[in-house]
Amino acid sequence: MKKLQTLLVASVCGAIFTLSARADVPAYATVVRVIGTAYYSLGVGEPEHPLLAGKTLPAGAIIRTDHNGTVDAVLGKSVEFPQAESVPNRISLAPDSPIRGMISYKPTAEQNAVRITPNTTLGIDKLTVTDTGADTVSDTELDLKKGKIYASVKKLTGASSYLIKLPNGICGVRGTLIEVSADGTVAVIESTGGGAVVSIVSPDGATHTYLVTPGQILDPATGKTAVIPSNLAGILEKVFTALRTAYVE
């Protein structure tokens, strides 16, 4: 078991710190649902604007939610919202007036999606996608400056990378449903890539690296992982059901 964990850490850390040379093209964060109040800017020091569903944001953008704000976004190629004739593939304007977005019952393809919870600030540092002919290579870097996000990360190719920066560390993810807080708390719901690797810099300057496997939650204060409590697991299951009820490419 220890050998397996060592291999998983090495694999994910390798994806974090080394990327194959390739010609990347820009991708986007397409905002597909907004509840309450949220804002975006196109960079540090740039003016903020109200955020509405349908907005496409490039790398460098920053999303900020108020105390009542929640934002769902799909990361990667631009997302279209065609009208289909039949349910469950129908996509329509959300009927609830406080919710500005699109709803459907089932996504047509697995996607990288993120939910930004209230009182959260998330920077989109890097988003690129490259079609190599054999597969698609993606490079995603998010900067969780404050608050908490839920991320649904599809299974990545070996050369792909998905990083979530924290104020005092970084989290590498591969094919994972994950909850990440800015304080370093990380919960992995399920994973096709072995889980998440989290590196935290302690106040004394030392770096500590942890492997969080499916069904575990990391407490950064103690550096220990534990089984996700059943009440939290139930909440997370509902969140990811909603997040995966997403969007047509």
Side-chain angles (χ1 to χ4, degrees):
M1 180 66 180
K2 186 175 181 181
K3 183 177 180 181
L4 174 61
Q5 290 187 349
T6 300
L7 290 173
L8 287 171
V9 171
S11 174
V12 179
C13 284
I16 291 176
F17 296 112
T18 62
L19 294 173
S20 301
R22 58 184 187 266
D24 293 327
V25 296
Y28 304 92
T30 303
V31 177
V32 291
R33 183 183 288 121
V34 178
I35 302 173
T37 306
Y39 304 90
Y40 77 93
S41 67
L42 295 180
V44 176
E46 296 294 321
E48 285 190 329
H49 309 280
L51 185 60
L52 301 176
K55 182 66 179 177
T56 299
L57 298 173
I62 300 171
I63 297 173
R64 180 178 67 84
T65 55
D66 268 353
H67 69 281
N68 66 338
T70 299
V71 174
D72 287 355
V74 173
L75 309 178
K77 296 179 181 179
S78 59
V79 177
E80 298 178 355
F81 299 99
Q83 295 288 340
E85 294 182 356
S86 61
V87 175
N89 293 321
R90 179 178 58 85
I91 296 180
S92 61
L93 290 174
D96 187 351
S97 59
I99 302 175
R100 303 182 300 278
M102 303 290 181
I103 56 172
S104 88
Y105 292 89
K106 186 177 181 180
T108 60
E110 189 180 16
Q111 296 167 319
N112 289 335
V114 60
R115 169 163 292 184
I116 305 166
T117 67
N119 289 319
T120 294
T121 302
L122 181 70
I124 304 166
D125 284 4
K126 188 174 184 180
L127 280 177
T128 59
V129 175
T130 300
D131 291 320
T132 66
D135 55 29
T136 299
V137 176
S138 63
D139 189 1
T140 302
E141 293 183 12
L142 306 178
D143 186 1
L144 182 55
K145 304 173 186 292
K146 174 186 174 183
K148 179 172 65 179
I149 63 172
Y150 301 100
S152 176
V153 183
K154 64 184 179 181
K155 186 176 181 179
L156 302 179
T157 61
S160 296
S161 175
Y162 193 114
L163 305 180
I164 303 170
K165 300 176 184 177
L166 308 171
N168 63 337
I170 193 167
C171 176
V173 183
R174 301 187 69 81
T176 301
L177 302 181
I178 191 170
E179 174 194 72
V180 182
S181 297
D183 67 359
T185 302
V186 173
V188 175
I189 315 310
E190 61 182 65
S191 176
T192 59
V197 173
V198 185
S199 290
I200 301 292
V201 179
S202 60
D204 62 4
T207 299
H208 306 275
T209 301
Y210 310 95
L211 175 64
V212 187
T213 58
Q216 290 187 333
I217 184 170
L218 170 67
D219 181 351
T222 63
K224 295 181 179 180
T225 57
V227 175
I228 297 174
S230 58
N231 60 333
L232 177 58
I235 294 171
L236 295 176
E237 182 179 353
K238 292 180 180 178
V239 169
F240 283 108
T241 297
L243 192 57
R244 288 171 128 180
T245 304
Y247 316 102
V248 176
E249 292 188 8

